[in-house]
Amino acid sequence: MAVSNSLNISPRKLRSDLYSYSYQNNSETPLVISVLSSLIDRTLTRNERISRRALPSSGAGGKTQIFDCREIPDMTIQSYLGRIFRYTKAGPSVYVVAYVYIDRFCQTNPGFRISLTNVHRLLITTIMIASKYVEDLNYRNSYFAKVGGLETEDLNKLELEFLFLMGFKLHVNVSVFESYCCHLEREVSFGGGYQIEKALRCAEEIKSRQMIIQDPKHHHHHHQLARILL
């Protein structure tokens, strides 16, 4: 299932958005958010179908249950990702790296399935960690918590648990970044066979060093946050 035609996204437009997007001069939501939300929605539909057919398993969940919400949030994936972008202005590459982390997390924890009860917490956690990995300046965890609809203490726990469950494997090299960009492009490439260019300026921005978390006022202006609760 490809992204809906109504989104008017082509592989070329997505590529340009991923590698040349400048949020300083562009207030529009990055195209990658629409593509990623489509992928996640498709995953949710597939996992829901699998869960209905599967027998109950006492061994399922475990430590990954920390991502489960008390109630299913009344917010679509598209709206939630759009909210995160609106209040954090995280660049498109952050969402690609978060996508890498989600995929790694699912592979490392085979008993875990993305569901309506855990997807929102998983998204805010991975996007926050990816932002720390990719970008030079970041908001504090307390601000990400407000954006994501969580208490700071809860998001701190989610971050720590995620890191341990991932074995702290956060490095994303250029080739891995390219491959996930290709997968996102195939999502909107109806004909297939689309080849991504190798010289990626955006990929060069991926860093393998720790980022120093600084006061958000030096990075972006604060917005009045509409409160949500997960």
Side-chain angles (χ1 to χ4, degrees):
M1 174 182 176
V3 177
S4 171
N5 281 314
S6 63
L7 294 176
N8 294 320
I9 300 175
S10 68
R12 187 178 297 278
K13 285 178 66 177
L14 177 62
R15 179 182 60 171
S16 174
D17 209 49
L18 283 172
Y19 309 146
S20 306
Y21 187 91
S22 174
Y23 52 74
Q24 287 90 348
N25 303 316
N26 193 341
S27 60
E28 294 183 1
T29 303
L31 299 178
V32 66
I33 288 179
S34 294
V35 181
L36 185 58
S37 64
S38 174
L39 275 169
I40 293 174
D41 283 336
R42 184 149 52 94
T43 299
L44 287 169
T45 300
R46 183 179 67 248
N47 287 347
E48 185 179 358
R49 190 164 57 245
I50 292 173
S51 296
R52 285 199 300 264
R53 294 200 304 258
L55 295 174
S57 173
S58 58
K63 291 184 178 181
T64 59
Q65 288 181 342
I66 191 174
F67 291 97
D68 290 342
C69 298
R70 298 175 186 88
E71 296 181 3
I72 296 176
D74 186 21
M75 182 174 281
T76 65
I77 303 304
Q78 175 96 26
S79 297
Y80 193 62
L81 290 176
R83 173 186 170 89
I84 294 172
F85 171 76
R86 184 166 67 253
Y87 290 122
T88 68
K89 289 297 186 289
S93 57
V94 170
Y95 297 92
V96 177
V97 173
Y99 175 38
V100 175
Y101 290 165
I102 290 172
D103 193 37
R104 284 182 183 174
F105 184 76
C106 292
Q107 292 180 34
T108 306
N109 301 275
F112 176 81
R113 286 199 190 104
I114 297 175
S115 68
L116 289 172
T117 58
N118 61 37
V119 64
H120 295 81
R121 289 188 171 204
L122 183 64
L123 282 170
I124 190 62
T125 302
T126 53
I127 290 170
M128 181 182 72
I129 294 173
S131 179
K132 292 179 181 181
Y133 183 83
V134 173
E135 303 198 320
D136 292 312
L137 300 176
N138 288 277
Y139 287 109
R140 292 190 176 99
N141 284 23
S142 57
Y143 185 74
F144 271 100
K146 288 180 182 178
V147 172
L150 296 167
E151 297 294 332
T152 303
E153 182 181 356
D154 290 335
L155 185 56
N156 288 343
K157 290 178 180 177
L158 289 172
E159 179 184 28
L160 191 61
E161 195 64 49
F162 182 87
L163 292 173
F164 275 102
L165 288 170
M166 281 274 287
F168 290 84
K169 296 178 180 178
L170 301 180
H171 180 58
V172 178
N173 61 34
V174 173
S175 63
V176 170
F177 185 84
E178 288 179 6
S179 69
Y180 279 84
C181 286
C182 281
H183 186 72
L184 290 170
E185 288 173 355
R186 282 196 297 271
E187 186 72 5
V188 292
S189 179
F190 299 102
Y194 184 80
Q195 297 297 319
I196 195 169
E197 292 181 0
K198 296 301 181 182
L200 305 179
R201 284 176 295 175
C202 182
E204 292 172 357
E205 296 175 2
I206 301 298
K207 300 170 179 68
S208 58
R209 57 184 175 83
Q210 291 183 338
M211 301 304 178
I212 300 175
I213 309 305
Q214 300 191 21
D215 194 307
K217 68 183 179 182
H218 298 304
H219 189 24
H220 303 299
H221 294 294
H222 279 289
H223 298 268
Q224 186 65 35
L225 275 171
R227 287 187 62 81
I228 60 172
L229 184 63
L230 297 186

